[in-house]
Amino acid sequence: MVHYSLFFLLSVVAPSSHALIKNEVIQIYKNFDVTEEETPTCLELDYSLFMCPSQEHIPCAGDEEVLKWCKSQLGVSLNEPVPVTTFDGTNTVNGCLRYVGWGDTQEGCCPSEECYRKFHEIPDDIELYQEEEHEYEEGEEGEEEEHEYEEEEEEIEEESEEESEEESEDYH
């Protein structure tokens, strides 16, 4: 498995580095043109800027839509047929299709809340990232609970003082 440094992809944006970044992206896509057992793990989210569509619906829009996006990213004519993959790490377009797409034979490496909802059958009205349940604003439940806790602490202290007084009386 090949590891890529973020430094390499995020090098200074100049005309020469743009070609370097594009060459790196091409190589990464080629690495995904392999059998399912040999497929590397998805890259960190920081790579999404270079590797994934900015529109979240594309990865799960179907092979044709993903294929159009991949071809346009790679500078391949939309009319040019995609060679049949032999899963040997040489077909950039098929590697891109596997990396970007969220289909059955694809990796789904591009972050997409829309695709996540679709493939995990989560309704739109359910929030994926819920806030913590115990966040209170001033004057709400949290302060009442804290006050109750302080009262309980005081009661426990009083009880232990009474017990220690009783014990000391027993010794005298």
Side-chain angles (χ1 to χ4, degrees):
M1 178 163 80
V2 179
H3 295 280
Y4 302 94
S5 75
L6 186 57
F7 174 78
F8 218 95
L9 286 177
L10 297 176
S11 45
V12 179
V13 179
S16 62
S17 68
H18 179 69
L20 181 64
I21 290 171
K22 185 168 182 156
N23 288 335
E24 283 291 307
V25 169
I26 287 170
Q27 185 56 51
I28 293 169
Y29 285 146
K30 283 182 179 181
N31 290 336
F32 280 80
D33 179 40
V34 292
T35 63
E36 193 171 330
E37 296 82 34
E38 297 173 326
T39 302
T41 58
C42 296
L43 302 177
E44 297 173 17
L45 289 177
D46 295 339
Y47 289 90
S48 298
L49 177 65
F50 301 103
M51 307 292 296
C52 300
S54 58
Q55 303 89 356
E56 281 195 16
H57 74 280
I58 290 177
C60 55
D63 286 353
E64 283 187 40
E65 193 70 26
V66 176
L67 192 59
K68 280 174 39 180
W69 184 86
C70 287
K71 282 183 170 184
S72 69
Q73 281 299 106
L74 298 168
V76 176
S77 168
L78 296 177
N79 297 328
E80 188 176 321
V82 178
V84 175
T85 187
T86 56
F87 300 110
D88 61 357
T90 59
N91 190 322
T92 306
V93 176
N94 280 324
C96 176
L97 184 64
R98 289 200 67 207
Y99 187 89
V100 174
W102 276 61
D104 291 336
T105 61
Q106 299 160 338
E107 293 305 305
C109 291
C110 292
S112 170
E113 186 174 321
E114 186 174 326
C115 296
Y116 186 85
R117 286 180 177 283
K118 179 179 177 180
F119 282 93
H120 291 88
E121 299 175 355
I122 299 172
D124 289 336
D125 59 339
I126 295 177
E127 290 184 41
L128 290 180
Y129 308 102
Q130 296 178 353
E131 294 180 24
E132 290 186 27
E133 294 178 18
H134 301 292
E135 290 183 15
Y136 303 107
E137 292 184 20
E138 278 187 49
E140 288 190 357
E141 291 177 18
E143 288 183 11
E144 291 173 14
E145 288 177 9
E146 187 176 304
H147 182 68
E148 289 173 11
Y149 178 72
E150 287 173 0
E151 287 177 359
E152 288 175 8
E153 258 185 4
E154 288 174 9
E155 288 175 14
I156 293 171
E157 286 177 10
E158 287 174 7
E159 287 175 7
S160 65
E161 285 176 9
E162 288 173 6
E163 287 175 8
S164 62
E165 284 177 12
E166 288 176 10
E167 287 176 5
S168 67
E169 287 176 9
D170 290 340
Y171 287 113
H172 293 212

